Amino acid sequence: MAKKIRASVLPTTLVVALLMAVAVMGLLSLYQTDLLFFARANYIRDQRDNIASMFVLYRLDPAIAKDTTYQLYDTLPSSRMSILRREWGLYEVVTVASERGDLHRSCIMGLACAAPGKGGSGGAKALWYNDNNNALTLTGNSNIENEAWLPRGGVIYGQMQSVFFTGNKLMPAQIHQSEAVLPKPTLQSCAAIDRLLRAQPDTPFTESLTRSFYRRQAAVMWVDGNLAGCAFAGNVILTGDRVHVDRSTHLTGVVIAARRVSIGDGFKGSVQIFARDTALVGEGVHLKAPSGVYARSYVELGEGSLLEGYMIVDFDGKVDRRKPNCRKARTSRLRGLLYARGITQLQGITVGSAYVEKATYYSSHGYYEDMLYDASIVGSEQVVYPLWLDERSERKEAAVMSYEL
């Protein structure tokens, strides 16, 4: 005899079956989601590795940027990367992105060495001093480490009033003979500066702006006068006639192009300055890499200041022996390139390369030509140089500006 089943069991069975089906679907959904996250994580990891590989290739061979795309591995279509290079002051911005553009990285890059070659016109690792049938006098605690390109008269370890030379003397193997003129900058670098100094504003002024370097044009703003309490970062050019940057302003990777630019005491940030006439950096300033100061008449780096980048005076006029075109204070520091046409009063520490046309020390009693007093120049391959004397050498990263999904 068949056993009778109560009718109330059927709804219970249906509910249990439905709950079991939902649980199974949930498990399957979680499994599928986990697979998607796993695949996405692997994709991001692989693309990050590909982007890093592209930057390694570019550092060793900048010519690969002539093509806008580059496939790293023939058997992996997903390894096709896009690469874009464009000038940014005396550095360059290089952006590498996955083919779909969903992952990209932008870096400001410079050169691994100041100029090509081992000697002659442009190979100075520490100091290049023009040969005008003269000799360079070192006095006080002056030191030149690594190779020095000096006039045919060589070096004199002398005195300035009652101050005698107390530094380390150069070894004969360190000294090479320079030439009568400074190595010339590239035509591309001069043209890039001209374009910056002619830049026209296209963005209304705002006190805060951050703009990515990825597929976007630079924002050019007119900021004539005192710049205080503002914040600008990335793909931004500030232009004007007389621009003063107060220590309360925050700048990261931007460019300032004006007739006269001054940086207030105690400022900290990264900025490239291009002045048609004069650029003044105050005391206790820290211009972090990638920074630089360029002027066509006069540049000054104040006491206790650190500049990580370049300091360039491209003076092309008649010099006045009574005043310098470049003044680097006794307690100042520069990591990178010093290039000075005209007369330079060079003191403090320079780590990198220094190209000096004429050195003069000015005291309260008069001036002493062809003299370095309390100046240390240390040739180094650990700094990043601007694209000024060369554009073909290996590259080095000065700053990572973005790494975005």
Side-chain angles (χ1 to χ4, degrees):
M1 181 178 179
K3 187 177 180 180
K4 295 182 179 179
I5 300 175
R6 296 173 61 185
S8 60
V9 173
L10 181 59
T12 303
T13 304
L14 292 176
V15 170
V16 171
L18 180 61
L19 290 175
M20 292 180 63
V22 170
V24 171
M25 290 298 294
L27 290 174
L28 291 175
S29 177
L30 287 175
Y31 179 74
Q32 184 69 22
T33 302
D34 185 64
L35 284 179
L36 290 175
F37 277 119
F38 180 75
R40 178 63 174 168
N42 283 341
Y43 171 80
I44 292 175
R45 183 194 62 196
D46 292 343
Q47 293 303 313
R48 284 179 181 266
D49 290 342
N50 290 338
I51 289 173
S53 297
M54 278 296 298
F55 274 105
V56 171
L57 286 176
Y58 181 80
R59 286 196 295 268
L60 298 174
D61 182 16
I64 66 172
K66 292 180 180 179
D67 298 323
T68 56
T69 60
Y70 190 93
Q71 186 165 329
L72 291 168
Y73 311 105
D74 293 338
T75 57
L76 294 176
S78 62
S79 69
R80 181 176 293 276
M81 300 282 107
S82 68
I83 182 169
L84 176 64
R85 173 209 175 272
R86 61 190 179 92
E87 62 192 31
W88 187 244
L90 288 179
Y91 297 108
E92 60 186 11
V93 173
V94 179
T95 300
V96 176
S98 59
E99 187 176 26
R100 295 188 302 188
D102 52 353
L103 187 68
H104 56 88
R105 181 185 180 193
S106 296
C107 291
I108 297 180
M109 307 189 78
L111 298 181
C113 61
K118 298 293 184 180
S121 58
K125 291 185 178 179
L127 173 65
W128 169 287
Y129 191 74
N130 270 20
D131 180 12
N132 292 316
N133 296 319
N134 53 353
L136 178 64
T137 298
L138 301 182
T139 189
N141 187 20
S142 293
N143 300 275
I144 300 174
E145 298 183 17
N146 216 315
E147 300 177 347
W149 271 253
L150 301 177
R152 65 189 65 208
V155 60
I156 298 173
Y157 304 103
Q159 70 179 94
M160 189 272 299
Q161 297 178 22
S162 60
V163 178
F164 292 85
F165 174 76
T166 59
N168 297 317
K169 294 185 178 181
L170 289 163
M171 300 295 291
Q174 293 178 256
I175 301 175
H176 311 273
Q177 185 176 325
S178 63
E179 297 180 356
V181 294
L182 286 176
K184 293 183 178 180
T186 66
L187 295 176
Q188 292 83 353
S189 61
C190 295
I193 293 172
D194 287 339
R195 284 191 289 270
L196 283 173
L197 293 175
R198 294 196 307 266
Q200 297 298 315
D202 58 14
T203 304
F205 177 77
T206 176
E207 292 185 348
S208 178
L209 178 63
T210 298
R211 175 167 289 196
S212 170
F213 286 103
Y214 183 56
R215 293 180 179 175
R216 299 196 67 180
Q217 296 296 320
V220 183
M221 290 192 296
W222 183 265
V223 294
D224 196 36
N226 187 41
L227 200 62
C230 301
F232 302 102
N235 200 7
V236 179
I237 298 174
L238 308 175
T239 186
D241 180 57
R242 297 172 63 98
V243 177
H244 175 77
V245 180
D246 185 77
R247 65 182 300 172
S248 62
T249 295
H250 298 275
L251 302 178
T252 305
V254 304
V255 168
I256 298 178
R259 182 180 63 85
R260 179 186 174 94
V261 182
S262 58
I263 303 295
D265 296 347
F267 171 83
K268 291 179 174 61
S270 61
V271 57
Q272 295 184 75
I273 296 169
F274 296 91
R276 289 187 295 273
D277 184 65
T278 300
L280 304 173
V281 178
E283 299 182 359
V285 172
H286 185 185
L287 294 179
K288 306 174 185 178
S291 293
V293 181
Y294 168 97
R296 291 177 173 171
S297 182
Y298 180 75
V299 168
E300 181 174 317
L301 184 62
E303 298 285 355
S305 291
L306 169 60
L307 170 56
E308 297 179 284
Y310 57 85
M311 183 175 177
I312 296 174
V313 183
D314 195 18
F315 180 72
D316 188 19
K318 185 177 180 180
V319 297
D320 184 347
R321 297 169 62 186
R322 297 169 298 178
K323 58 182 181 180
N325 301 101
C326 177
R327 188 188 299 271
K328 184 175 176 295
R330 190 176 181 180
T331 58
S332 66
R333 292 169 294 161
L334 169 64
R335 288 182 53 84
L337 174 70
L338 171 66
Y339 182 96
R341 296 173 64 191
I343 298 176
T344 301
Q345 178 168 315
L346 175 58
Q347 294 185 280
I349 298 174
T350 299
V351 178
S353 293
Y355 291 77
V356 179
E357 185 174 49
K358 178 77 171 179
T360 300
Y361 176 71
Y362 295 84
S363 73
S364 58
H365 304 284
Y367 57 90
Y368 300 81
E369 294 184 328
D370 300 314
M371 175 179 284
L372 294 181
Y373 167 53
D374 281 355
S376 293
I377 305 170
V378 181
S380 175
E381 298 179 353
Q382 304 304 313
V383 299
V384 181
Y385 294 97
L387 283 77
W388 177 247
L389 299 174
D390 181 37
E391 61 173 12
R392 298 166 295 172
S393 299
E394 293 182 5
R395 301 301 200 260
K396 183 178 290 188
E397 291 181 4
V400 178
M401 296 306 295
S402 64
Y403 205 158
E404 305 166 76
L405 285 173

